Amino acid sequence: MPPNKPATPDPARTLSLLWRHSLSPSRTRGPRPSLTVDRVVEAAITLADEQGLDAVTVRSVAEAVGASPMSVYTYVPGGKTELIELMIDVVYLRADRPAWGELGWRERVLSVANQNRALHAAHPWLIHASTSRPPLGPGVITKYEYELSAFDGLGLSDVEVDAALTFVLGFVQANARSAAEAAALPEATAMTDAAWWEAQAELLGRVVDPTKFPRATRIGEAAGTAQGGAYQAEAAYRFGMDRVLDGLDQLVERKKKA
């Protein structure tokens, strides 16, 4: 199979690879193979962390582990698509999951959000790799089980708990994507946000009439001064998470009164 040629999807094979440590019998005899699925996945994660998801190809991973592309296909027959699913699952499985202790539900849900934000910061490629059909491996299942428990005791139905978690994670992912795009702009444009706004200020002063655009002028200046620019990821995250929690609070209170 030529390197990076899309393979025919095989959900059963992918599922078997995802759960390989649970399904495979312990190896007791014979030499340990120099190349393994784990080693291939580790190399792919390192490449993605350092260079982005586009850098992950069967050929680049093969070079990283000192093997041929065909050898990599022996361990990951589905190529890059299957490899990305394995990468996601491994990263999820390794994530920290502190005990809830005596935390209230808002603190638990905020902790889930913060954990996912940290995960995106450590592995920025996740925002491009996430899928509506998640790899159903031990990492994804463990993460899902833990995060669902943040909503225990709230009186929500199972469907509502799943929807609430999806709502929280959707906000975190959107914020992570915006933050990544904002962080990439200075390098891409060779200009900091402050320098870019300064360069636009004179032109804006000549073309924007404050009497015609009073809100845009007043509020834009206030927000820019407060945040140091038109967009500040940390401020957007804090404000957004407060609103997410407030919205969930209304749902919880409504369920209590029902």
Side-chain angles (χ1 to χ4, degrees), residues 11-99:
R13 180 193 63 218
T14 302
L15 200 62
S16 179
L17 280 172
L18 288 165
W19 289 88
R20 58 195 177 282
H21 296 298
S22 300
L23 299 175
S24 301
S26 300
R27 188 181 182 90
T28 57
R29 292 185 177 183
R32 187 176 298 276
S34 60
L35 190 60
T36 63
V37 175
D38 289 338
R39 190 177 168 206
V40 168
V41 175
E42 288 295 339
I45 291 173
T46 298
L47 278 170
D49 286 348
E50 295 177 350
Q51 303 177 40
L53 200 59
D54 287 344
V56 178
T57 65
V58 171
R59 185 176 297 281
S60 66
V61 172
E63 291 175 355
V65 297
S68 69
M70 291 307 297
S71 296
V72 171
Y73 275 117
T74 300
Y75 292 90
V76 188
K80 182 171 180 175
T81 299
E82 196 165 63
L83 183 56
I84 290 174
E85 294 189 343
L86 292 166
M87 292 163 61
I88 294 172
D89 200 69
V90 167
V91 166
Y92 282 179
L93 190 60
R94 291 176 178 169
D96 290 333
R97 296 181 181 87

Side-chain angles (χ1 to χ4, degrees), residues 23-210:
L23 299 175
S24 301
S26 300
R27 188 181 182 90
T28 57
R29 292 185 177 183
R32 187 176 298 276
S34 60
L35 190 60
T36 63
V37 175
D38 289 338
R39 190 177 168 206
V40 168
V41 175
E42 288 295 339
I45 291 173
T46 298
L47 278 170
D49 286 348
E50 295 177 350
Q51 303 177 40
L53 200 59
D54 287 344
V56 178
T57 65
V58 171
R59 185 176 297 281
S60 66
V61 172
E63 291 175 355
V65 297
S68 69
M70 291 307 297
S71 296
V72 171
Y73 275 117
T74 300
Y75 292 90
V76 188
K80 182 171 180 175
T81 299
E82 196 165 63
L83 183 56
I84 290 174
E85 294 189 343
L86 292 166
M87 292 163 61
I88 294 172
D89 200 69
V90 167
V91 166
Y92 282 179
L93 190 60
R94 291 176 178 169
D96 290 333
R97 296 181 181 87
W100 297 131
E102 300 300 318
L103 291 179
W105 75 264
R106 285 181 71 108
E107 290 77 17
R108 297 197 303 264
V109 174
L110 179 58
S111 179
V112 166
N114 289 342
Q115 291 163 29
N116 278 274
R117 189 181 184 217
L119 200 62
H120 283 296
H123 307 286
W125 52 270
L126 281 173
I127 62 174
H128 304 293
S130 296
T131 171
S132 58
R133 292 182 178 179
L136 300 178
V140 167
I141 299 298
T142 299
K143 181 176 183 289
Y144 185 51
E145 174 73 20
Y146 173 79
E147 292 174 346
L148 290 173
S149 72
F151 298 87
D152 283 355
L154 299 185
L156 303 181
S157 70
D158 288 348
V159 173
E160 287 170 331
V161 170
D162 178 78
L165 177 59
T166 300
F167 176 46
V168 172
L169 298 185
F171 167 75
V172 174
Q173 185 180 45
N175 179 265
R177 180 177 290 109
S178 295
E181 291 172 352
L185 279 176
E187 182 177 352
T189 61
M191 184 180 292
T192 65
D193 284 347
W196 187 87
W197 281 106
E198 184 178 351
Q200 311 304 311
E202 182 180 353
L203 176 61
L204 285 173
R206 286 192 277 117
V207 299
V208 177
D209 181 355

